[in-house]
Amino acid sequence: MTTLAETVSDSVTITRRNLIKVKRVPDLIVFATLSPIMFVLLFRYVFGGAIDVPGDVSYAEFLLPGIFAQTVVFGSTITGASIAEDLQKGLIDRFRSLPMSRSAVLIGRTVADLGLNAISIVVMALTGLVVGWRINTSVGEAVGGFVLLLAFAYAVSWLMAVVGLLVRTPEVVNNASFMVIFPLTFVSNAFVPLESFPSVLRTFAEWNPVSTVVQGARELFGNVPAGAPLAEAWSLQHPVFYSLLWAVVILIVFVPLSVRLYVRTSTR
Amino acid sequence: MSYAVVVEGLLKRFGKTTALGGVDLTVSEGTVLGLLGPNGAGKTTIVRVLSTLLLPDGGRAEVAGLDVVTEAAQVRSMIGLTGQYAAVDEYLTGRENLEMVGRLYRLSAREARRRAEQLLERFELTDAANRPAKTYSGGMRRRLDIGASLIARPRVLFLDEPTTGLDPRSRLGMWEFIADLVGEGTTILLTTQYLEEADRLADRMVVIDHGRVIARGTADELKAQVGGERLEMTLADAGQLGAVAEALRPLTHGEPRLDAQTRRLSVPVSGGVDALAEALRRLDGHSAGVLDIGLRRPDLDDVFLTLTGHAAEGDEPSDEQDESATTVSAGANR
């Protein structure tokens, strides 16, 4: 019914609307950038001394891709909270009563949040360079590393959109998503080497897509220690492919599901 | 005359509760229908079905000749909706809000800008046009919300309790805006809890309760059903209620309502201010201690008491009665 061109045009309108909010509410951008800076500094200087990294790489180099991944995955939770907020304020009702594309509100939302994540990652990368993180590969590979991180985060945004449409209260969305995101990011290789985990947790961490995104980013930025032991799990041997596969599967499941929920949703 | 809205046997259930139990109504092209009822009667549910937000469980509804279920997409380009809570983006300015909605109605960027400008002027928001809606008062938000629903010149406009929560002054202003729209020939379905509001704005009214239509007609027809004006008073001593009711009996044409708890007495009368004057004369020699007396036109509470035998639950009591009451001093000025 709605053509592709109309969907694109509506999505652009909604993306613009969401980005205007980022401009008008500076807190959003401040928190999206300050908390990652804080994480970089905390881990680098507080835990850095206590965490042993195998091979000949500094903890800063090991750490930064982990911080990147954690931050963009956390950043994606904004999608759920924002959709719940729009539902609560009756804006989703207004949009649903308009002759606009039925997927544009969700596309515009996730694209705007992707933009916010991109800003966070730039700020973190600059902070990282100050504290000793380095890119040791080509420009192309480095760009690939950032794309991998953002692509995975974009997929998580759609998962969060479903959470927002189901839960409907921004505060609850935040709490609920932290319950999931915290274990996913901490039971991974983001901050500590996998060798330090007990066996069951280690298997979980090896197949955890956050680990593979981090591993993939480390490879693409050249932050994998030269003397590090080779990963045993297949997922960690092919981290980029495995991570992108996750992103694609999440999108295949959650894009149609969230559009369906959006079409059916109703505040009473 | 053709109908802009046709609703037949509309059914909607939420779990075990029946929100709509077979509603029939029509709105003629270019007229205003007032949909009246207490909170939870099903007014909003009807609007949500007609604006394609909610699928009905049974029955049929057409807007501008289009089925709201099978032709929902086309219906959306014909309608404007203003919900109970002003659905404006508070981080966008007034102008940005209007332009965004205009674009989503598929107006060209240029046309959306032009319409936004017109509507800002019309709804007296030009000065605030470049301020985020967050800074707007309740009345301004509501005006912006209605402006947004008008941006693509809809054939049918749904206004769901457009003045609920507004202060009396903003309410009066809103009535003027709505009356202007009516003058331009927009078909409007308006829900309200206030008979006075429907009285001012609507050509015809439908009263619903518990998801069913309990009365319909013009304002005059409804008022005739309800039984005209009432004389209401509060006494200092509840023990005097019976005696006062007796003293006023020659003036009334119906049963008085007594409420010992609030020491209030209400008797149906006809003759307007003359009846009030006569009542005052009769009570002059009486030691009843009348604290407050007034002539009140029927309101939704009376409609409900008369039609259903129960008061409109959830209706805000005191404010609304004060507004529709003709007090002694106001009566004396006429």
Side-chain angles (χ1 to χ4, degrees), chain A residues 17-25 28 85, chain B residues 91-92:
Chain A
R17 169 228 168 197
N18 293 331
L19 290 177
I20 287 175
K21 177 177 174 180
V22 175
K23 196 172 76 183
R24 300 262 156 83
V25 191
L28 270 179
E85 194 184 334
Chain B
Y91 303 107
L92 265 55

Side-chain angles (χ1 to χ4, degrees), chain A residues 1-244:
Chain A
M1 240 172 304
T2 35
T3 65
L4 184 62
E6 286 171 336
T7 300
V8 171
S9 152
D10 291 347
S11 302
V12 169
T13 304
I14 298 291
T15 307
R16 190 178 297 145
R17 169 228 168 197
N18 293 331
L19 290 177
I20 287 175
K21 177 177 174 180
V22 175
K23 196 172 76 183
R24 300 262 156 83
V25 191
D27 315 25
L28 270 179
I29 210 85
V30 168
F31 283 111
T33 54
L34 271 190
S35 57
I37 292 178
M38 186 193 73
F39 263 105
V40 169
L41 298 178
L42 275 180
F43 274 90
R44 168 77 181 81
Y45 294 109
V46 179
F47 299 126
I51 298 172
D52 235 358
V53 183
D56 60 347
V57 91
S58 73
Y59 185 62
E61 293 209 8
F62 176 84
L63 172 70
L64 258 288
I67 297 270
F68 289 159
Q70 188 216 26
T71 305
V72 294
V73 170
F74 268 90
S76 301
T77 60
I78 289 177
T79 304
S82 307
I83 286 177
E85 194 184 334
D86 282 351
L87 264 174
Q88 234 176 20
K89 292 191 174 160
L91 277 160
I92 298 283
D93 276 355
R94 153 130 282 153
F95 291 135
R96 286 177 64 236
S97 76
L98 298 178
M100 61 184 288
S101 152
R102 307 296 262 172
S103 52
V105 168
L106 298 167
I107 296 175
R109 178 82 260 159
T110 51
V111 170
D113 294 340
L114 178 66
L116 205 55
N117 258 338
I119 295 171
S120 296
I121 232 174
V122 168
V123 172
M124 281 187 293
L126 294 175
T127 317
L129 289 172
V130 172
V131 300
W133 173 65
R134 292 292 176 267
I135 295 173
N136 304 311
T137 49
S138 68
V139 175
E141 279 168 296
V143 169
F146 289 118
V147 169
L148 172 71
L149 287 159
L150 291 174
F152 183 73
Y154 185 71
V156 175
S157 262
W158 281 92
L159 194 154
M160 287 301 152
V162 168
V163 175
L165 286 165
L166 289 174
V167 176
R168 291 155 176 259
T169 316
E171 296 76 15
V172 181
V173 172
N174 275 332
N175 292 337
S177 46
F178 284 178
M179 295 276 294
V180 179
I181 301 290
F182 258 111
L184 273 180
T185 52
F186 281 93
V187 187
S188 80
N189 59 358
F191 306 109
V192 292
L194 285 178
E195 289 72 27
S196 59
F197 284 108
S199 66
V200 178
L201 272 186
R202 181 171 172 172
T203 308
F204 175 84
E206 281 170 347
W207 293 89
N208 176 352
V210 175
S211 292
T212 61
V213 168
V214 173
Q215 180 70 16
R218 280 187 187 134
E219 287 181 6
L220 289 163
F221 295 135
N223 299 141
V224 180
L230 271 177
E232 287 159 34
W234 181 87
S235 54
L236 286 169
Q237 288 166 357
H238 308 88
V240 176
F241 175 77
Y242 178 81
S243 306
L244 291 178

Side-chain angles (χ1 to χ4, degrees), chain B residues 95-149:
Chain B
R95 177 175 283 117
E96 285 165 346
N97 263 293
L98 293 176
E99 286 182 12
M100 171 182 74
V101 175
R103 292 292 283 146
L104 295 173
Y105 266 113
R106 301 270 151 72
L107 302 181
S108 68
R110 194 199 171 111
E111 177 68 3
R113 249 197 315 277
R114 205 178 60 81
R115 283 292 287 159
E117 203 54 55
Q118 284 175 354
L119 288 161
L120 286 167
E121 200 161 312
R122 160 162 207 177
F123 288 100
E124 291 164 15
L125 292 168
T126 308
D127 292 342
N130 297 322
R131 264 172 28 208
K134 208 183 173 117
T135 65
Y136 286 19
S137 68
M140 289 163 80
R141 279 181 194 218
R142 209 63 79 94
R143 268 155 30 215
L144 181 61
D145 195 18
I146 293 192
S149 59

Side-chain angles (χ1 to χ4, degrees), chain B residues 182-329:
Chain B
V182 177
E184 292 160 24
T186 311
T187 304
I188 297 177
L189 192 152
L190 165 96
T191 80
T192 179
Q193 296 188 40
Y194 314 123
L195 191 64
E196 193 196 358
E197 182 163 298
D199 206 355
R200 287 255 320 230
L201 301 171
D203 300 298
R204 297 187 65 76
M205 302 180 197
V206 167
V207 184
I208 63 166
D209 189 25
H210 298 302
R212 288 175 192 282
V213 175
I214 57 171
R216 62 180 89 222
T218 62
D220 288 341
E221 287 165 0
L222 276 185
K223 280 183 192 157
Q225 267 184 309
V226 168
E229 313 152 303
R230 303 187 76 88
L231 205 54
E232 283 201 347
M233 65 209 73
T234 310
L235 304 184
D237 176 10
Q240 294 290 316
L241 283 170
V244 171
E246 211 42 56
L248 296 176
R249 187 158 301 276
L251 291 175
T252 74
H253 53 76
E255 275 307 299
R257 290 207 297 259
L258 310 178
D259 185 350
Q261 199 85 60
T262 58
R263 308 186 311 277
R264 285 173 83 111
L265 170 67
S266 157
V267 294
V269 295
S270 51
V273 180
D274 290 342
L276 178 63
E278 176 66 15
L280 286 174
R281 207 181 53 74
R282 278 169 187 274
L283 293 175
D284 202 18
H286 213 276
S287 59
V290 177
L291 295 178
D292 174 284
I293 183 165
L295 189 65
R296 201 162 64 78
R297 299 206 311 280
D299 65 9
L300 194 58
D301 260 341
D302 301 310
V303 175
F304 275 88
L305 277 167
T306 310
L307 297 172
T308 67
H310 69 82
E313 312 131 39
D315 210 4
E316 301 141 283
S318 53
D319 296 11
E320 307 317 318
Q321 289 188 353
D322 291 346
E323 265 174 53
S324 55
T326 312
T327 62
V328 172
S329 57

